[in-house]
Amino acid sequence: MKRLSFPKYIFSKFKSLAIINTLLVLAASFIEGISILSLVVLADLFITRNLDNVTKITKVFIKIIKSIGIPSTFGWIIGIFFVLNVIKIIFQIFAQYTIYKTKYALLRDMMIGAFTDFFDARWYFFSKNEQGKLMNSFMREITVFGDAFAMMARYFSSIIQVILYLAIPFYLSWQVTAISL
């Protein structure tokens, strides 16, 4: 239960930032998955050179881009791959920005709470301890706490990416993927 108290605290205190972080990471992962699929289509078209002997994924992908009104030429699919990667990178940049924004909001909240406790403490608390040692320990622990949040967010992002990286091969052929794992 203690392990879940930190994420619960973050979601209760910074709900909007946590939701934005989650949505941005999910969107970036989803776009990355589509980008990987477009790379599969590029490889398929490069190998077959025509649309007669392509795989099922390539046929579905081409059907989708034709329904949008995009031609299904090799150049257009390279362009789609490029645009999807640029959009993915933009989402990842905004995700990192909101992760750090949440981290520093969390640190500010923790520091304000700790300083309030320091100011409410009796004089004996400060006179019995060395102030420099106390402040150095406090600042080091606050920094570790903020870094723990940033690492937790990156870990969550990595888990989503691994699931996505495994979902695509399983969709293509679960037998080959299971054997290769």
Side-chain angles (χ1 to χ4, degrees):
M1 280 309 216
K2 273 189 168 183
R3 292 180 187 190
L4 294 178
S5 62
F6 184 57
K8 279 183 188 177
Y9 172 76
I10 291 169
F11 272 97
S12 66
K13 200 82 165 158
F14 307 102
K15 189 175 216 140
S16 63
L17 285 173
I19 289 171
I20 290 170
N21 285 336
T22 304
L23 291 176
L24 283 172
V25 167
L26 287 174
S29 296
F30 180 73
I31 292 170
E32 187 170 17
I34 296 171
S35 174
I36 292 170
L37 285 176
S38 70
L39 188 61
V40 169
V41 171
L42 280 172
D44 195 18
L45 289 176
F46 186 73
I47 292 170
T48 61
R49 297 281 184 192
N50 60 19
L51 296 176
D52 298 332
N53 300 326
V54 293
T55 61
K56 181 181 171 186
I57 287 187
T58 302
K59 289 178 184 176
V60 171
F61 191 85
I62 288 174
K63 182 180 172 187
I64 290 171
I65 64 171
K66 279 185 177 179
S67 69
I68 297 172
I70 300 172
S72 60
T73 63
F74 193 72
W76 275 97
I77 295 175
I78 288 174
I80 290 170
F81 176 72
F82 178 75
V83 168
L84 286 172
N85 278 306
V86 169
I87 293 171
K88 175 196 71 161
I89 290 168
I90 290 169
F91 271 96
Q92 287 176 338
I93 289 170
F94 281 125
Q96 284 297 321
Y97 171 75
T98 56
I99 286 170
Y100 283 114
K101 187 174 179 179
T102 306
K103 172 186 172 179
Y104 289 116
L106 183 66
L107 288 177
R108 184 182 65 236
D109 184 60
M110 295 298 290
M111 289 178 80
I112 288 172
F115 284 140
T116 301
D117 291 342
F118 284 156
F119 290 138
D120 290 341
R122 303 227 180 255
W123 180 250
Y124 177 73
F125 174 75
F126 295 103
S127 63
K128 74 175 183 166
N129 295 318
E130 297 176 28
Q131 291 82 16
K133 195 178 212 179
L134 179 67
M135 282 308 286
N136 284 339
S137 297
F138 172 71
M139 293 306 291
R140 184 174 44 87
E141 291 303 319
I142 286 290
T143 304
V144 167
F145 183 75
D147 291 342
F149 168 75
M151 292 305 289
M152 186 181 74
R154 285 191 205 106
Y155 181 70
F156 176 68
S157 174
S158 297
I159 287 174
I160 291 172
Q161 287 177 340
V162 165
I163 290 170
L164 196 68
Y165 288 154
L166 288 175
I168 293 170
F170 271 105
Y171 177 74
L172 293 174
S173 173
W174 68 270
Q175 294 96 347
V176 173
T177 305
I179 289 171
S180 64
L181 287 177

